[in-house]
Amino acid sequence: MSPIAIEVDSPPQSRSFMRRFAGAPLPWIMPVIVVIGIFYLYPVIDVFRLSFTNATLIGDNQDYTLGSITNALSSPQLPDILWATLIFVGGSVIGQQILGIAVAVVVIRGEKRGLFGTTILRTTALVAWVVPGIAGGIIWQMLFSEAPYGALNSILRLMHMPVVAWLSDPAIAPWSTLISNIWRGTAFSMVVMYAALKSIDPSLYEAAEVDGATASQQFFFVTLPQLRAAILVNMILITIQTVNTFDAIITLTGGGPGRATEVISLYVFNIVFRNYDLSGGSVLSVLMLIISLGLAFVYASFLPKEEEQ
């Protein structure tokens, strides 16, 4: 029945109810509220609840206690885990951000000049992004392998240079995991920066050229200020993504040697699925949420205000 037919055939009282219903936003957004509540809020609330229990994966009984919080936060391994996470997240965000801007600038300039290979460069960068984390870890495990077939050490041998213990040296392994994560995440930053560079008004560069600005001056005084909002939004996204990354690490190093590459997301995985400690994993998950939200709020505080845009 069409809306016109409803208007004609419905009694006056029914028409009045439908007008009130049409003007009220709550009935229309209620399905969205229900979906968000079921799929997003409920798991978060349940993790908070579990962090106040002694729940395990192999037991049915649960008692509410603060002991899980105390035990998880006072663990002697936690400071080393947080330090490894800080190195991994900080290095990944800086590396992905710088390389993302560099590749996007090269692609944009290559497209303007119609250079051959620009599309190949953009596609090659995107390939790393679509590779699953597990597969990416295996790829880099083969590259970093210290066995005779290890690609990087084979190159070093051909150059008569000493081989490097990429994955077995506790001082080098964290940098190996960092390189693999930068390789995988740079494509996402490149896509964000590419879209932001496309939106910059060309007249700004024309005015800079008239003023005699060099290419580097145009980059630092025109391009980077125009990319400020995109850079900060990208940093929020890749920070949250990196804090939650563990699939590539578990296939590359398994968190070793020792615990040199065990970041907090992998630590949570081990606590829950190897120690069966559901409550301890929940406490650490809440800690991860607090870290992610705290960093996101810090980045967001530097976003340009509406009057600055």
Side-chain angles (χ1 to χ4, degrees), residues 40-53 62 64 278 282 286:
Y40 293 97
L41 290 182
Y42 173 73
V44 174
I45 293 172
D46 203 39
V47 167
F48 273 95
R49 183 188 67 80
L50 287 170
S51 65
F52 289 95
T53 68
Q62 294 182 15
Y64 287 92
L278 189 57
S282 299
V286 173

Side-chain angles (χ1 to χ4, degrees), residues 52-288:
F52 289 95
T53 68
N54 59 354
T56 66
L57 283 182
I58 54 177
D60 296 330
N61 297 326
Q62 294 182 15
D63 294 322
Y64 287 92
T65 175
L66 296 177
S68 300
I69 299 176
T70 305
N71 293 335
L73 297 183
S74 63
S75 170
Q77 291 85 24
L78 189 58
D80 293 335
I81 299 292
L82 292 177
W83 177 250
T85 305
L86 176 64
I87 298 296
F88 182 69
V89 174
S92 296
V93 170
I94 294 172
Q96 291 175 15
Q97 188 69 74
I98 293 175
L99 288 179
I101 293 175
V103 175
V105 169
V106 170
V107 170
I108 289 285
R109 293 190 175 182
E111 288 179 347
K112 287 181 179 177
R113 291 174 170 81
L115 298 179
F116 174 77
T118 304
T119 304
I120 297 175
L121 172 62
R122 186 176 55 195
T123 306
T124 303
L126 289 174
V127 166
W129 187 28
V130 300
V131 170
I134 296 290
I138 294 173
I139 291 171
W140 281 96
Q141 207 281 338
M142 295 175 66
L143 292 174
F144 285 134
S145 176
E146 295 158 33
Y149 60 81
L152 295 180
N153 278 337
S154 296
I155 295 174
L156 293 176
R157 289 190 188 95
L158 289 175
M159 298 172 66
H160 303 288
M161 297 176 65
V163 298
V164 178
W166 299 102
L167 303 177
S168 61
D169 188 332
I172 299 176
W175 301 105
S176 301
T177 60
L178 186 58
I179 292 171
S180 69
N181 195 56
I182 291 174
W183 168 81
R184 183 166 175 244
T186 294
F188 178 80
S189 297
M190 185 270 289
V191 172
V192 175
M193 294 299 108
Y194 179 83
L197 285 169
K198 282 282 190 181
S199 65
I200 297 178
D201 188 353
S203 64
L204 296 175
Y205 293 104
E206 294 171 0
E209 289 181 0
V210 171
D211 293 338
T214 62
S216 61
Q217 289 173 329
Q218 291 182 29
F219 178 75
F220 286 106
F221 297 107
V222 177
T223 303
L224 282 184
Q226 294 296 316
L227 293 179
R228 179 183 169 189
I231 289 173
L232 289 168
V233 170
N234 185 52
M235 289 179 70
I236 292 174
L237 296 176
I238 60 179
T239 297
I240 294 173
Q241 183 182 34
T242 306
V243 169
N244 292 286
T245 296
F246 79 96
D247 48 359
I249 299 176
I250 201 170
T251 52
L252 181 61
T253 64
R259 286 188 149 167
T261 60
E262 189 173 6
V263 295
I264 190 167
S265 55
L266 180 57
Y267 185 50
V268 172
F269 177 86
N270 291 333
I271 289 288
V272 174
F273 294 104
R274 292 182 177 173
N275 297 349
Y276 309 114
D277 186 358
L278 189 57
S279 59
S282 299
V283 173
L284 295 170
S285 297
V286 173
L287 180 62
M288 287 177 58

